[in-house]
Amino acid sequence: MRPTWAEINLDSLKSNFLQVKRIIGNRVGVISIVKADAYGHGAVSVSKALIESGSDMLGVATVEEALELRESSIRAPIVLLGGIQPEEAESAIKNDLTPSIFSLASAQAINKYAEKSGKAVRYHLKVDTGMNRLGVDSGEICDFLNHISDLKNLEMEGVFTHFANADGESRDYTLNQISVFRALLSLINQSGFYPRYVHSANSAAIQRFYESHMNLVRPGIMLYGSGGIKGCELRPVMILKTKIIQIKRIPSGASVSYGGTFVATRPTIIATLPIGYADGYMRRLSNRARVSVRGTTAPVIGTVCMDLAMIDVTEVPGVEIGDEVVVFGDERVSVEDVARWADTIPYEILSTVGKRVRRVYV
């Protein structure tokens, strides 16, 4: 019943998916990335909408994320992009999940349980071409392939890599990663593996590096309406809203919230909002952000609290208790604006919107 909620526009989500398809064409498939609760948008509802739109697969980070989808009767192929721990092999196989493999220990655990179950398990091999995070290094690929070639219950369905700087000003690093990836693909083929799927392109690369499309792409942030590059018309999917629950007047010289970080320089009208850092509205936004109310914007003043935030509505005509306030997602305050004020990126702003903020699908 708390008057703070996130409106998720599924038509906008579908429109963004169609923008991806417009760029890549019909010959390239899509793994829609729905990890981190679909970047805070609600993985189950978002996944169903994306499958309806034509997504070939879904991508998540963890087994738990995949199981939430399976328990909601989503049967589409799900790729575990973050790999699995050996003890998760049984759960992954029982629920028909597609693990990514970059660890020999995980590969052996999957093969062992697959053999016991009488199954062949499809997997995607992850190779590292310069992200230096997860993946088999280029110098170790031949030895790794020699080891997994002995694991007869594993089937290499795909191979992929991840770009470190596809949205950067310089194209050189990404072009080098693409070159390294193609060389690794050649070695993989020479070792007797011919994966059906090859993928490397994230949202930025989909738009900037057509040579990276291969035969699958992995859109993430662009599905949710952010990260668009000139010529790609994306729609915001989440509008984070709340309502004013109290209005008060303070004199010049009075301070607001913890630590008195805001001191009024004039008689000021303050509106209190039921949203705070426990909802994902970061403390870093204190005295920096703005919100949208009654057709204009108002500044956030004082320290953002766990459950509450205050705004200066002195210049907002006719403001009343119960007025709707857009925290981000309309034409006046975007998620990119909030990310800039918080010295972060839209990914973090969206994915940290808390569980107690109810999602309303429209």
Side-chain angles (χ1 to χ4, degrees):
M1 305 303 293
R2 184 166 175 252
T4 297
W5 70 102
E7 284 185 5
I8 310 300
N9 191 312
L10 296 178
D11 286 340
S12 294
L13 176 77
K14 292 177 179 180
S15 174
N16 295 339
F17 179 86
L18 292 177
Q19 283 292 312
V20 174
K21 291 298 292 183
R22 179 186 64 80
I23 294 169
I24 64 175
N26 293 327
R27 295 185 179 182
V28 179
V30 178
I31 305 178
S32 295
I33 305 305
V34 295
K35 64 182 181 177
D37 199 32
Y39 291 35
H41 292 69
V44 172
S45 295
V46 164
S47 295
K48 289 179 178 178
L50 290 169
I51 292 166
E52 288 175 7
S53 299
S55 186
D56 301 275
M57 304 178 190
L58 302 171
V60 299
T62 68
V63 172
E64 289 83 359
E65 290 177 340
L67 294 183
E68 179 188 16
L69 302 182
R70 286 286 186 253
E71 288 163 3
S72 299
S73 301
I74 292 173
R75 308 316 311 168
I78 300 175
V79 182
L80 299 166
L81 297 169
I84 66 170
Q85 297 300 309
E87 58 270 21
E88 296 175 313
E90 179 178 353
S91 182
I93 293 169
K94 281 184 174 180
N95 289 280
D96 194 26
L97 308 178
T98 304
S100 62
I101 287 180
F102 45 83
S103 156
L104 191 56
S106 292
Q108 291 168 336
I110 295 167
N111 184 73
K112 182 178 179 180
Y113 189 81
E115 185 177 14
K116 187 166 65 174
S117 304
K119 294 183 176 181
V121 174
R122 296 183 299 274
Y123 70 94
H124 289 211
L125 176 69
K126 183 166 190 177
V127 295
D128 192 344
T129 58
M131 181 73 171
N132 292 318
R133 186 178 64 176
L134 290 177
V136 181
D137 291 337
S138 57
E140 300 172 355
I141 188 70
C142 291
D143 187 52
F144 190 87
L145 293 172
N146 284 336
H147 281 97
I148 62 173
S149 65
D150 294 328
L151 305 178
K152 302 303 181 185
N153 286 76
L154 297 184
E155 176 188 336
M156 188 187 293
E157 179 187 65
V159 60
F160 71 108
T161 193
H162 192 74
F163 294 137
N165 199 30
D167 57 353
E169 288 187 17
S170 173
R171 294 171 55 88
D172 294 346
Y173 199 88
T174 302
L175 289 173
N176 183 68
Q177 282 195 264
I178 294 170
S179 178
V180 172
F181 188 43
R182 292 192 183 279
L184 290 174
L185 288 173
S186 180
L187 288 174
I188 289 166
N189 293 158
Q190 291 172 29
S191 298
F193 295 91
Y194 300 94
R196 177 181 177 186
Y197 299 115
V198 180
H199 48 108
S200 61
N202 56 7
S203 291
I206 288 169
Q207 299 171 80
R208 298 186 67 212
F209 295 90
Y210 289 84
E211 58 268 70
S212 73
H213 291 178
M214 315 299 176
N215 62 7
L216 272 180
V217 296
R218 301 191 309 270
I221 193 67
M222 69 184 297
L223 292 175
Y224 307 106
S226 189
I229 296 171
K230 187 177 181 181
C232 185
E233 299 296 328
L234 301 177
R235 301 181 187 175
V237 176
M238 180 189 292
I239 304 179
L240 183 58
K241 295 183 175 183
T242 188
K243 289 185 177 181
I244 294 172
I245 59 171
Q246 187 176 40
I247 293 175
K248 62 174 59 183
R249 298 172 183 272
I250 62 172
S252 178
S255 63
V256 176
S257 194
Y258 293 116
T261 60
F262 174 87
V263 178
T265 58
R266 61 176 180 174
T268 301
I269 304 173
I270 299 170
T272 300
L273 310 177
I275 188 169
Y277 60 77
D279 303 297
Y281 197 64
M282 301 173 179
R283 209 165 175 269
R284 291 197 298 277
L285 296 166
S286 304
N287 299 304
R288 303 178 72 178
R290 300 185 73 87
V291 298
S292 176
V293 56
R294 282 190 171 248
T296 186
T297 65
V300 174
I301 58 173
T303 301
V304 173
C305 309
M306 181 178 287
D307 313 301
L308 302 166
M310 283 62 68
I311 60 174
D312 182 349
V313 292
T314 310
E315 303 295 332
V316 182
V319 66
E320 297 178 352
I321 292 174
D323 278 352
E324 187 173 279
V325 174
V326 174
V327 178
F328 64 74
D330 70 0
E331 66 277 9
R332 284 174 287 275
V333 180
S334 68
V335 69
E336 288 82 7
D337 292 329
V338 177
R340 186 177 66 255
W341 292 324
D343 294 324
T344 185
I345 55 177
Y347 298 73
E348 184 176 5
I349 300 300
L350 292 170
S351 63
T352 55
V353 174
K355 285 288 189 182
R356 70 180 186 178
V357 176
R358 57 197 170 90
R359 272 61 170 177
V360 178
Y361 295 90
V362 298

